[in-house]
Amino acid sequence: QVQLVESGGGLVQPGGSLRLSCAASGSIRSLNDMGWYRQAPGKQREWVARISSGGSTNYLDSVRGRFTISRDNAKKTSYLQMNSLKPEDTAVYYCNADVVRPSGSSWNYWGQGTQVTVSS
């Protein structure tokens, strides 16, 4: 079994910062792309950022320059550093990962989500 567990969400004032973490555990040979998505109330889930196994990154235009995705392969963990937060960043944030199992097969997994609320 494989689990992705997010942490680090919470309530922050506009302009503030939060750092989300996503730890992968279980039967894992390696991790390929890791990413973050978010879903605001009444809206569809949207992609936020992605990082390859080699460290290449991509961002949603509205977060580029404010959010930074990173990873620690030894810890099987990805991070999303969120600065200059805005009320429109309020959402449940989900991590996502392409996991290579010991068999060599690749599967995509989701975390359970962590709430981020930006409000004064």
Side-chain angles (χ1 to χ4, degrees):
Q1 290 283 20
V2 173
Q3 275 193 314
L4 300 182
V5 178
E6 300 104 333
S7 60
L11 172 64
V12 63
Q13 291 187 342
S17 298
L18 282 175
R19 188 193 194 205
L20 306 183
S21 299
C22 172
S25 63
S27 185
I28 299 170
R29 174 190 286 185
S30 63
L31 295 168
N32 289 332
D33 287 3
M34 302 183 76
W36 288 90
Y37 291 70
R38 66 186 181 187
Q39 187 166 19
K43 294 187 176 182
Q44 289 189 329
R45 189 175 299 189
E46 68 175 352
W47 167 79
V48 174
R50 197 151 191 88
I51 184 167
S52 72
S53 57
S56 297
T57 58
N58 297 94
Y59 297 94
L60 179 68
D61 284 347
S62 62
V63 309
R64 187 176 292 111
R66 300 188 297 122
F67 290 11
T68 302
I69 188 171
S70 61
R71 63 191 287 167
D72 184 329
N73 291 326
K75 294 183 178 180
K76 297 185 178 65
T77 299
S78 70
Y79 306 94
L80 186 68
Q81 177 66 44
M82 306 185 294
N83 298 329
S84 303
L85 282 161
K86 304 175 181 180
E88 52 264 42
D89 294 318
T90 295
V92 178
Y93 282 71
Y94 298 89
C95 72
N96 178 271
D98 291 328
V99 178
V100 181
R101 304 296 301 276
S103 65
S105 62
S106 181
W107 299 85
N108 188 261
Y109 291 89
W110 291 91
Q112 82 288 353
T114 185
Q115 177 70 47
V116 171
T117 302
V118 185
S119 174
S120 55

